[in-house]
C-alpha cells in the first residue's frame, strides 16, 4: 500500500505521520504507570527530581518526523469509529477501576489491588 500511495501522502505532507502510526509499539504497563505518576495536570508537564519537562512541537517534529508547519486543523474528528474507540477506552477504564483501588499520589495516580 505504501508503494501505491507514498507520492500522494508525501504531497499532502502526511507520509511521516502515516509511517509512524504503523510502528508496532510494545505495551509496557509498568513504564506507562511510572511515567503517568510524574504528570502534573496543573502545568501540563512531567515533574522529575531534576525539574519539569514537557513535550514541545519541536520534539514532535524532530522525534516523530511530523510536520508542525502549515494550517492548523480546526475541525473535530467525529466519526462512528472515533466514538467506538472512546467507548472502548471508557469501558476499559471502568473495568480497571472496578478491579483496583485508584489512589492519587503526588501528581499522578497509583493502581492498587
Amino acid at each position: 500500500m505504501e508503494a501505491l500511495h507514498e507520492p500522494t501522502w508525501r504531497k499532502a505532507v502526511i507520509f511521516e505521520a502515516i509511517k509512524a502510526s504503523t510502528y508496532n509499539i510494545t505495551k509496557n504497563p509498568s513504564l506507562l504507570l511510572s511515567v503517568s505518576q510524574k504528570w502534573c495536570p496543573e502545568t501540563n508537564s512531567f515533574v522529575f527530581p531534576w525539574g519539569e519537562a514537557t513535550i514541545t512541537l519541536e520534539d514532535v517534529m524532530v522525534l516523530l518526523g511530523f510536520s508542525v508547519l502549515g494550517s492548523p486543523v480546526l475541525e473535530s474528528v467525529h466519526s462512528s469509529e472515533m466514538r467506538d474507540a472512546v467507548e472502548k477506552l471508557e469501558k476499559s477504564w471502568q473495568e480497571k477501576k472496578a478491579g483496583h483501588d485508584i489512589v492519587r499520589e503526588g501528581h499522578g495516580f497509583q493502581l492498587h489491588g
Side-chain angles (χ1 to χ4, degrees), residues 59-76:
D59 295 329
V60 171
M61 186 173 67
V62 172
L63 297 174
L64 301 176
F66 297 157
S67 174
V68 296
L69 307 173
S71 301
V73 176
L74 300 174
E75 296 295 322
S76 299

Side-chain angles (χ1 to χ4, degrees), residues 5-110:
H5 297 292
E6 182 178 352
T8 305
W9 293 340
R10 285 195 182 278
K11 191 179 220 180
V13 195
I14 60 171
F15 178 73
E16 291 81 10
I18 290 172
K19 288 294 288 183
S21 72
T22 61
Y23 290 146
N24 184 14
I25 300 172
T26 306
K27 184 178 178 181
N28 187 335
S30 61
L31 177 62
L32 182 59
L33 185 58
S34 297
V35 172
S36 69
Q37 290 175 343
K38 305 286 187 193
W39 182 252
C40 176
E42 290 83 21
T43 60
N44 290 322
S45 62
F46 294 97
V47 180
F48 297 105
W50 58 85
E52 290 189 37
T54 192
I55 299 169
T56 66
L57 284 175
E58 184 179 14
D59 295 329
V60 171
M61 186 173 67
V62 172
L63 297 174
L64 301 176
F66 297 157
S67 174
V68 296
L69 307 173
S71 301
V73 176
L74 300 174
E75 296 295 322
S76 299
V77 178
H78 295 289
S79 68
S80 60
E81 184 178 329
M82 184 62 75
R83 281 190 296 277
D84 292 345
V86 169
E87 287 173 9
K88 286 179 185 178
L89 287 170
E90 288 174 346
K91 181 180 177 186
S92 177
W93 174 246
Q94 293 302 324
E95 290 171 358
K96 290 281 185 194
K97 279 192 347 186
H100 296 86
D101 294 326
I102 300 176
V103 179
R104 181 158 172 87
E105 293 182 357
H107 294 295
F109 294 91
Q110 176 69 48

